[in-house]
Amino acid sequence: MVQIPGRVGKSSGVPLSTEKEFEQEIYVTRGEMARFIRDLASAIEAGGRVDVSRDDWTLGVTPMEPLKIEIQYKGQKRELEVQLKLKEFP
């Protein structure tokens, strides 16, 4: 299980609802981000279920290949967005 560090920001939805979407912003230091990415990479590489956990909730999937990475760069904002998608197929 990968622990999510940092300070909670904006949130929408309920994390444990299977019928609705959930979104959470979390602010972290460089060190916390690097540790989280390493732990997540280890969980993905191990195969099987990938769980992430924060305080009183845990969410996870058993991802199937191919996994998806989306890259977006917003030049005016000087913002690089990297989104990892782990999708579970029935």
Side-chain angles (χ1 to χ4, degrees):
M1 182 174 321
V2 180
Q3 291 295 114
I4 302 171
R7 177 178 54 85
V8 174
K10 290 189 282 185
S11 178
S12 67
V14 179
L16 301 177
S17 171
T18 58
E19 298 174 14
K20 297 183 181 177
E21 292 186 9
F22 169 68
E23 188 172 325
Q24 177 82 68
E25 286 183 1
I26 299 173
Y27 298 94
V28 296
T29 65
R30 286 184 178 128
E32 289 170 330
M33 175 76 77
R35 262 188 313 281
F36 175 75
I37 292 170
R38 281 192 295 272
D39 292 346
L40 184 60
S42 293
I44 292 168
E45 190 171 37
R49 188 168 175 82
V50 176
D51 289 309
V52 294
S53 178
R54 173 88 186 162
D55 298 331
D56 60 345
W57 55 262
T58 299
L59 298 171
V61 295
T62 303
M64 303 298 291
E65 291 182 332
L67 306 179
K68 184 177 181 181
I69 300 171
E70 291 182 10
I71 307 294
Q72 185 177 40
Y73 181 73
K74 298 174 185 174
Q76 288 186 341
K77 291 183 177 182
R78 297 179 56 119
E79 178 179 280
L80 175 64
E81 184 175 327
V82 179
Q83 190 176 83
L84 309 176
K85 293 196 176 187
L86 310 178
K87 189 168 183 177
E88 184 173 87
F89 294 100

